[in-house]
Amino acid sequence: MNDKKFFWLKFHENFFKQREIKKMRQVKGGELYIVIYLKLQLLSLKQNGEIYFEETEEDIYEQLSIEIDETIDSIRDTVSFMSVNGLCELEGQDISLIKTKELINVTPDGTIRSQKSRAKKKLLEQEDDTNSIMQKQDATKCNTEKEIDLKKDLKKEKEKKKEKVLEKEEEKEKEEESERRKNIEKEEEKEKKETYGKNDNVLLTDKNYQTLKEITPDADKVINQLSYHIANTGEVFESHYNEILTLIQNK
């Protein structure tokens, strides 16, 4: 005869809404207290919510520390809180989990097997119903897939047109920027250029310099940056003014 039994603990959906648990979470170390409380509940399952001191250690707290892998001080603080808030009672070295007793259930192995058998039978019935529904759906699936493919094609075509419009706008902006820079270069050629920068190697018109000062208060700093770069690398630029504008934009 199989006398095997299964012990299990009912876990209410409002567990964290209980007044005692809310208070526990608010104290320092409260999250750990909750973990320890749950571990103690599980430990007491086979004793119907009771934890007995087995006298194998110095006291119940040292015994529990070994059994649930938590520190002695953490267990002592948790049990103290539980006792004050009506979650347990201390009877000498024994601990009685008051509310846990209401949540413990015992199910014989035979009952478990019967429940599994019924669940399996129900699952098979649900699979049969599902297969029946799927067979009915197959009749319209082909047309549905065609409609989906058509919508995808239309969406792709719309996206391609949108991309082309964006590309044209980007090209137009690039052309306008190029034209603007060319005009700036032409204006520079008409005006006399002076040397600027720490190395006197940055060529700008007075108008260029004043414009840069209006654009950013760090104009001289950026001019020196270009001056050092030219001196160190020997790189040649068509327009020092345009290069400084680029440096400012990239800051």
Side-chain angles (χ1 to χ4, degrees):
M1 183 176 179
N2 189 352
D3 294 330
K4 186 176 182 181
K5 295 180 180 180
F6 291 88
F7 295 84
W8 51 281
L9 184 71
K10 291 186 290 186
F11 193 81
H12 289 306
E13 62 180 355
N14 65 343
F15 176 81
F16 288 101
K17 295 180 181 178
Q18 296 177 79
R19 181 182 60 83
E20 299 87 353
I21 302 304
K22 285 184 176 181
K23 287 179 63 177
M24 190 180 293
R25 293 187 68 188
Q26 290 174 358
V27 301
K28 184 177 180 181
E31 300 295 338
L32 177 58
Y33 288 5
I34 291 175
V35 173
I36 292 174
Y37 178 44
L38 292 173
K39 285 185 175 183
L40 294 178
Q41 285 185 304
L42 295 175
L43 185 64
S44 71
L45 281 179
K46 292 184 179 182
Q47 287 82 36
N48 193 33
E50 303 287 343
I51 299 177
Y52 300 109
F53 179 45
E54 299 175 359
E55 300 184 1
T56 57
E57 310 301 330
E58 184 175 342
D59 57 26
I60 186 65
Y61 304 109
E62 187 173 340
Q63 174 185 312
L64 291 174
S65 175
I66 296 172
E67 290 181 331
I68 66 174
D69 295 320
E70 300 291 348
T71 66
I72 295 174
D73 288 341
S74 296
I75 294 172
R76 181 181 288 107
D77 292 343
T78 302
V79 172
S80 176
F81 180 92
M82 290 164 56
S83 177
V84 171
N85 289 274
L87 295 174
C88 76
E89 291 181 351
L90 296 175
E91 301 172 4
Q93 289 286 322
D94 299 332
I95 300 174
S96 179
L97 302 178
I98 303 169
K99 290 195 174 183
T100 304
K101 294 180 179 182
E102 303 170 1
L103 307 176
I104 294 175
N105 280 273
V106 183
T107 305
D109 183 42
T111 302
I112 295 291
R113 283 188 273 109
S114 297
Q115 290 174 347
K116 288 182 178 179
S117 177
R118 287 196 297 271
K120 184 177 181 181
K121 183 179 179 181
K122 186 176 181 179
L123 180 61
L124 290 173
E125 291 174 351
Q126 290 175 344
E127 288 178 352
D128 290 340
D129 292 340
T130 301
N131 290 334
S132 177
I133 293 172
M134 290 179 66
Q135 288 173 358
K136 292 178 181 179
Q137 291 176 340
D138 286 342
T140 56
K141 185 177 179 180
C142 183
N143 290 334
T144 303
E145 289 178 348
K146 288 181 179 179
E147 290 177 3
I148 292 173
D149 290 340
L150 179 60
K151 288 180 180 179
K152 286 182 179 179
D153 291 340
L154 291 173
K155 185 178 180 181
K156 287 180 180 179
E157 186 65 27
K158 187 176 180 180
E159 289 175 350
K160 286 182 180 179
K161 289 181 179 179
K162 185 177 180 180
E163 288 176 359
K164 288 182 180 179
V165 171
L166 291 174
E167 288 176 358
K168 287 182 179 180
E169 290 178 352
E170 288 178 359
E171 289 177 1
K172 184 178 178 181
E173 289 178 357
K174 288 180 180 178
E175 290 175 358
E176 290 175 351
E177 177 65 18
S178 176
E179 186 66 26
R180 186 181 70 82
R181 297 222 170 189
K182 286 180 181 178
N183 291 335
I184 290 173
E185 291 173 2
K186 289 179 181 178
E187 289 296 326
E188 287 181 353
E189 291 175 357
K190 296 177 182 178
E191 299 182 39
K192 182 180 178 181
K193 295 182 179 179
E194 302 289 342
T195 57
Y196 293 84
K198 291 290 185 181
N199 298 290
D200 290 327
N201 56 357
V202 177
L203 299 177
L204 298 170
T205 65
D206 182 63
K207 183 179 179 181
N208 289 157
Y209 180 71
Q210 295 303 323
T211 301
L212 292 174
K213 295 283 283 184
E214 291 174 2
I215 292 174
T216 174
D218 295 328
D220 290 325
K221 184 178 179 180
V222 181
I223 291 171
N224 287 333
Q225 181 182 345
L226 180 61
S227 178
Y228 287 132
H229 178 76
I230 294 172
N232 292 331
T233 65
E235 187 173 353
V236 178
F237 299 96
E238 292 184 4
S239 169
H240 290 172
Y241 178 67
N242 280 345
E243 184 60 27
I244 293 170
L245 288 176
T246 300
L247 292 172
I248 293 172
Q249 290 172 359
N250 292 337
K251 285 188 67 176

